[in-house]
Amino acid sequence: MSSFVLHYFPINARAEPIKAILSYAGANWKLESPEWPQGKSSQPVGKLPVLVETAADGSQFTLSESLAIEEYLAKTFSLNVSDNLQNAARQTELRSQIKDVWDMCIQYKFGTEESRKGTMEKYAALSKAVVAYHEEQLKLNGANGHYFGSETKYLDLAVFATYLAIKDFIVPSFPQALDNFSKENAPLMNKVFETVSAEPRLASYLTTFN
């Protein structure tokens, strides 16, 4: 059985979906935080997160880029939607939209005072549109607390973990970041958050948040 080492900063941010997948799957994994920027040159293309998988025979597989890692782990632990091509494409679409939300949050957090106003306006429009689209997709699945089917899968974990990351890492400097994701504005997405947060396999992972 493989073991995994996730290289990432000691913060709750971009790598949260990866952590959630590993935790939910019951994988043997640990987080290591390289000294930065000293350790930058030892990482593929000088970026984090990076996942290192060590197989039972000692062979290693190293993978960078957060979405590539998520998708690899989702396939490894059978957390993807069915092999239906349309469902697979929809999963990628919805995950990409949530990544767009995250990326714009980062633009705001690390932006200048001058640039933040424009970013905030764009973010408000983007998050509103994403919430409306996701609410409709969740309605099509029966509004049961899952994006696909009736079990917790990759997309449920990724969206929930991104929500936690925004709440923990973004909201202190961007208090409006989750306004469009409130229970009033996004009731079905919040049902996903509640359903996933109740998963016993995530109990330990959730203790990493205040």
Side-chain angles (χ1 to χ4, degrees):
M1 184 176 180
S2 291
S3 61
F4 301 87
V5 177
L6 174 62
H7 296 276
Y8 194 63
F9 307 108
I11 54 175
N12 296 326
R14 187 181 297 275
E16 291 315 302
I18 300 169
K19 296 178 191 176
I21 293 168
L22 288 165
S23 298
Y24 182 76
N28 177 11
W29 75 281
K30 64 180 179 178
L31 175 69
E32 290 187 357
S33 300
E35 291 292 327
W36 209 261
Q38 298 92 321
K40 188 173 183 178
S41 61
S42 64
Q43 307 299 327
V45 300
K47 293 171 59 179
L48 298 178
V50 170
L51 184 75
V52 179
E53 177 183 9
T54 303
D57 63 4
S59 60
Q60 290 192 327
F61 174 63
T62 300
L63 187 64
S64 63
E65 302 298 336
S66 56
L67 289 187
I69 295 170
E70 290 175 26
E71 291 168 2
Y72 174 71
L73 291 174
K75 290 177 182 176
T76 298
F77 296 113
S78 302
L79 291 173
N80 277 320
V81 296
S82 67
D83 291 333
N84 178 292
L85 288 177
Q86 292 183 353
N87 283 345
R90 185 72 69 205
Q91 174 181 268
T92 300
E93 172 196 48
L94 295 169
R95 178 66 187 98
S96 296
Q97 291 167 353
I98 294 299
K99 181 180 181 297
D100 290 343
V101 168
W102 172 261
D103 288 345
M104 196 165 287
C105 282
I106 292 297
Q107 285 182 37
Y108 181 90
K109 183 176 178 71
F110 294 104
T112 63
E113 186 175 345
E114 182 179 352
S115 69
R116 279 183 167 185
K117 183 177 179 181
T119 301
M120 185 183 295
E121 292 174 355
K122 291 177 182 177
Y123 178 81
L126 172 66
S127 59
K128 183 177 181 180
V130 167
V131 164
Y133 192 72
H134 281 235
E135 289 287 299
E136 186 60 33
Q137 295 302 315
L138 288 164
K139 191 182 299 181
L140 292 174
N141 193 50
N144 66 351
H146 300 287
Y147 276 90
F148 298 96
S150 57
E151 297 179 350
T152 296
K153 294 289 188 179
Y154 161 47
L155 187 61
D156 302 320
L157 293 164
V159 176
F160 172 61
T162 302
Y163 169 81
L164 292 179
I166 293 173
K167 186 176 180 180
D168 191 81
F169 189 66
I170 302 296
V171 166
S173 59
F174 185 8
Q176 305 92 334
L178 290 177
D179 284 359
N180 284 327
F181 295 89
S182 67
K183 287 187 177 181
E184 180 181 0
N185 294 324
L188 301 185
M189 292 187 76
N190 275 268
K191 189 170 183 179
V192 172
F193 304 155
E194 292 166 5
T195 300
V196 177
S197 66
E199 290 283 0
R201 285 183 278 177
L202 289 179
S204 179
Y205 165 70
L206 292 174
T207 63
T208 63
F209 294 88
N210 297 325

